[in-house]
Amino acid sequence: MDKDLRSIQEVRDLLERAWTAQRALAAMDQEDLDRVTAAISKAGAEQARRLAQMAVEETGYGRVEDKTLKNRFAALTLYDAIKEEKTHGILAQDQERRTIDIGVPVGPVAGLVPSTNPTSTVIYKAMICMKAGNPIVFSPHPSAVGCIAETVRVVDRAARQAGAPEGAVSCIATPTLEATQALMKHRRTRLILATGGAAMVKAAYSSGTPAIGVGAGNGPAYIHPTADVRQAVKRILDSKTFDNGTICASEQSIVTTRAMEKAVTAELERQGAYVLSGEEHKKLSKFILRPNGTMNPAIVGKSVETVAALAGLGGVPASARVLVARETGVGPGYPYSSEKLGLILAYYVEEDEEAVLRRCVEILDWEGAGHTFSIHAEDEAVVKRFAQAVPASRVLVNTPSSLGGIGATTCLFPALTLGCGAVGGSSSSNNIGPLDLINIKRVAWGVKELEELRDSGAPERSAGRVDDALLRSLVEQIVRRLT
């Protein structure tokens, strides 16, 4: 059988097993699901370093130490955030309004996994799916099949030992484009959880199956005059260099005013950033994007030394942490204005704060709408003004953007799938968690008899609630219609 046909048949078989597993998961109670989730957390944390090593060796992206931290973040920080959540069965009751909310699983989930964060994404998606009572079938990125498959084996073994049914966590062994398309469009697939390139996310939303997908991250970082410049630059460089820039929430450009230029530039150089000359700017610009306008994988997650050698930049010191390129435009012809999941930052200097705001909006509108914006400032009024104006779902203040966006250095929900909202072509603006993967069944009793309502003498309800007089009128009309 041809490879594409074999992979499609594999998808069908995995989804039938997942469908059987779904019935078993739906019959579990919250305690059962919590036990499975805890087991995945424990196994993911124990295997964090080994899986990180596999990911770096196979893909060539990032750093083992940082991928180990990302695996532990997915396994432990996420678990701490969800362990007390109610996701299954009765979630809430309102005695006054006589309603009950019941959480039910959505059903089998298609989990698309990127090559930049392969092992941590598997741990994260498996945990939120098991917490919600959904089986998940993973579709691995072709360049990270080995480490993804091994992470799935670790997670599946732990889940089954804790009581999860066979088929609750599985992975396509022969990944092809046809297999991924079959997985997304199959009648057994109830939801697609898509983390990956723009084309794949668009395909998820075009599949006809409900999907939660994320757009590109291209977050600008504004250094305001009230910022502690030393601290701001440190946060930005620490963030950008974490796992060699492979987190989509990481900063892609620095924006500041002309009055701040000297101080910011000096601090960047002092802390190890290398500001490219005009000629070096031109040389590197040719390697940022491929001819079709998408990000060049040759720069993704690579060291400064590797990127500099690729572009023929002979003057970059070995101590350089990040390559910084001055930029003046956004869009076609300005490759530095696009997302760069590597150790490259664009650097914009604008005349005043109004120009800074326009530039940040322009960058996000070009690429990264709905994702992340960061600001370094002590003036809360400025923070609020920018937050209301920029098209971003996450506005991060005085924190490393890559870690703040995923909830590691902020109190945002810890997640490795970051929704971009409608402005970014996403169905959600949330940091995606288990509550995004359930449906809520609502039970509602009929209103009391009319006479009881009339005689109750109850005061008007609070704002936003229907008052008794209006309720009686509506019920009377309904009763007349029915009788």
Side-chain angles (χ1 to χ4, degrees), residues 240-424:
K240 188 63 172 172
T241 56
F242 184 82
D243 204 27
N244 286 352
T246 55
I247 294 181
C248 55
S250 63
E251 297 86 346
Q252 303 298 317
S253 55
I254 296 172
V255 190
T256 195
T257 60
R258 186 72 60 193
M260 294 289 291
E261 177 184 9
K262 184 177 180 180
V264 171
T265 303
E267 196 60 43
L268 282 168
E269 293 175 339
R270 192 186 73 79
Q271 295 194 35
Y274 181 77
V275 181
L276 301 175
S277 68
E279 185 59 32
E280 290 169 330
H281 176 289
K282 290 179 183 178
K283 285 184 176 181
L284 181 56
S285 69
K286 299 173 183 177
F287 295 90
I288 293 174
L289 303 177
R290 293 187 288 192
N292 64 1
T294 60
M295 195 188 324
N296 182 359
I299 68 164
V300 174
K302 302 298 195 302
S303 66
V304 167
E305 181 183 15
T306 299
V307 174
L310 174 72
L313 307 181
V316 180
S319 59
R321 301 175 65 194
V322 174
L323 300 174
V324 176
R326 291 180 178 275
E327 191 53 275
T328 57
V330 174
Y334 300 96
Y336 291 100
S337 69
S338 296
E339 183 182 37
K340 308 163 291 296
L341 295 181
L343 299 178
I344 303 170
L345 279 168
Y347 183 24
Y348 293 88
V349 177
E350 306 297 333
E351 288 303 319
D352 53 32
E353 190 168 290
E354 288 299 322
V356 167
L357 179 54
R358 287 194 300 270
R359 182 67 78 191
C360 291
V361 171
E362 184 183 17
I363 291 168
L364 288 165
D365 280 342
W366 163 243
E367 188 176 41
H371 206 290
T372 303
F373 166 76
S374 64
I375 181 169
H376 300 266
E378 296 302 325
D379 188 331
E380 190 168 332
V382 171
V383 171
K384 290 178 179 177
R385 176 168 174 261
F386 271 71
Q388 292 180 70
V390 295
S393 300
R394 278 154 290 278
V395 175
L396 308 172
V397 185
N398 297 334
T399 192
S401 187
S402 61
L403 301 175
I406 65 173
T409 60
T410 63
C411 291
L412 296 179
F413 182 82
L416 294 175
T417 295
L418 310 180
C420 296
V423 70

Side-chain angles (χ1 to χ4, degrees), residues 1-10 12 176 178:
M1 189 184 297
D2 290 342
K3 181 180 179 181
D4 57 342
L5 297 178
R6 188 169 70 250
S7 66
I8 291 171
Q9 185 58 53
E10 181 189 9
R12 293 171 179 168
T176 63
E178 292 80 7

